[in-house]
Amino acid sequence: MKKNILSEIVLTILILLTATGISFAFFQFGNKNVANITVIYTLALILIALGTSGYWYGIAASLYCVTAVNYFFSFPYFHFNFSLDGYPLTFIGMLAISLLTSTTTTTLKKQQHAMADREKALAEAEREKLRANLLRAVSHDLRTPLTSIIGSSSSYLENYPELSDEERTELITNIKDDSQWLLNMVENLLTVTRIDDNSTDKVKKSPEVVEEVISEAILRLKKRLPDIRIRVSMPNDFLMLSMDPTLIEQVLINLLENAFIHSGSKDPIDLIINESDENITFTVRDYGNGVDEEQLPYIFEGQRTSSHTNDGHKGIGIGLSICKTIIRAHGGAISAANHTDGAEFTFTLPKEKENSDNA
């Protein structure tokens, strides 16, 4: 607090000294009209009101300005003469300007602080909502696969002699699949933590080739889901976009995996990329069951949604919540909708200004 007061006092003194120096130069080499000097000091008062908080700086500066005009720039020079015509009016005018400017700027600063506090509170509420949704999703989505792993491993250990090779293989496969899904869940949660730790700068972006990011995401996903079929449609133009490639790959993987697992269809999944002057749009479109219309408004809120497949324990809520977090951290938007033959998820990433200029 004392540091702020000291800095504002120093700023006030510097502005007044600068105004006095300019006035002397103007008075010495230019027109010796006192009205012109008054304009210079009036401008100094406005700058002081803008750069300080409270009214006392402006009032003190007004007293100095009126006194300086009287002492330095009114005949007889370097003497006080309070009997000059218009002197009280000049003082009252400068004092009124200072008070009005100080009042206006103080009010504006208070409004700015209130808006900043409100935005901060809203951001904190959004983070708390995300944490709550993630915890709710985790509590739902982790319990069943863990139970399945424990059940399959117990059956394998306790009934090993009685099990056929096919039954043993099936149990081990179930354990592997559930473990892999839990690993993906942990990766998603670490992704959110990474963004949260980086909340000041949102995410670290770098110019990336869109086609390479898509290829890497599909390659990673096919290692996990060898049977998935994806049709990619994108412009022939070379697309560069500023992004965190690892995070955007995670979004693409989540959306494509959800489409494969939850659509209930074996048709290929379409990944469509479109470019506009301001952004690049990515659409993941499946040809299956679609999304329950009642769940569409809340699908990105981390709530668990039921699946139409046999992998019903693999809720899609947490994966989509992570997608929303990543896209918003990039300054983009994500949405979900049903079309005639299934569902589609679309997200947009904004182009940087230099990319837009070069387009």
Side-chain angles (χ1 to χ4, degrees), residues 207-220:
E208 302 291 339
V209 180
V210 174
E211 186 175 1
E212 292 181 358
V213 174
I214 293 172
S215 298
E216 183 63 26
I218 293 175
L219 184 64
R220 288 174 54 192

Side-chain angles (χ1 to χ4, degrees), residues 21 56 63 87 136 149 201 211 235 239 273 288 295 322 357:
W56 295 109
L63 293 173
Y87 178 78
R136 183 167 59 250
I149 290 172
D201 298 322
E211 186 175 1
L239 299 182
I273 294 87
Q295 293 185 0
I322 271 72
D357 293 340

Side-chain angles (χ1 to χ4, degrees), residues 104 134 142 153 265 275 289 321 339:
T104 303
L134 288 176
L142 294 186
S153 58
S265 171
E275 181 186 19
N289 301 310
S321 180
H339 61 91

